[in-house]
Amino acid sequence: MKFAIAVFSPAHAPSSRRALRFAEAVLAGGHDITRLFFYQDGVHSASANVVTPQDELDVAAQWREFVNQHRLDAVVCIAAALRRGVLNDEEANRYQRPAVNLPIPWDLSGLGQLHEAAQVADRLVCFGGD
């Protein structure tokens, strides 16, 4: 089965951790993840500037490791990212901002990527949000 997974909450939220555990279980079960899509406050999971207290799980780092390890398509919504100051090199230059905090493996793109993932996947599973 092919899954598309959308994460709407930041890394420190329980739903982001549940999304990660679900994604791990999907792959462990022999299924595929067509795309991970981070939207709304979920874009903070991709920021290189997230600093997690020592007594908490660093879920943002776990997401990064998971995406890298499995070479997954991980998309961060560009509109939500810009609104929250999550910028790759291109957008930092475009808006004349001094800092870049969206490292590899993340890609900035629009909501069309979520729509496409939902069309290609057998299931779209969403975590977090209002």
Side-chain angles (χ1 to χ4, degrees):
M1 186 168 286
K2 295 178 186 177
F3 288 88
I5 300 172
V7 181
F8 295 84
S9 55
H12 65 269
S15 55
S16 181
R17 189 173 56 252
R18 282 192 295 272
L20 177 59
R21 298 300 170 249
F22 177 80
E24 291 168 342
V26 164
L27 296 183
H31 304 288
D32 294 321
I33 297 174
T34 59
R35 180 167 293 138
L36 295 167
F37 192 86
F38 293 80
Y39 187 52
Q40 295 176 343
D41 284 338
V43 303
H44 290 296
S45 293
S47 173
N49 290 341
V50 172
V51 177
T52 303
Q54 291 179 336
D55 63 341
E56 295 180 16
L57 291 174
D58 190 347
V59 179
Q62 290 178 353
W63 271 118
R64 191 170 42 257
E65 291 169 20
F66 179 73
V67 169
N68 278 326
Q69 178 183 2
H70 298 286
R71 299 174 192 216
L72 297 173
D73 181 15
V75 176
V76 175
C77 177
I78 190 168
L82 292 176
R83 185 175 296 118
R84 290 162 177 84
V86 178
L87 306 170
N88 64 5
D89 193 45
E90 181 181 335
E91 297 306 316
N93 287 331
R94 176 184 296 173
Y95 293 103
Q96 300 176 347
R97 298 300 190 261
V100 173
N101 60 342
L102 188 71
I104 294 173
W106 310 103
D107 290 320
L108 278 181
S109 196
L111 275 173
Q113 295 294 319
L114 178 59
H115 182 266
E116 178 190 46
Q119 299 301 312
V120 172
D122 299 308
R123 300 282 185 274
L124 169 62
V125 182
C126 301
F127 291 86
D130 296 330

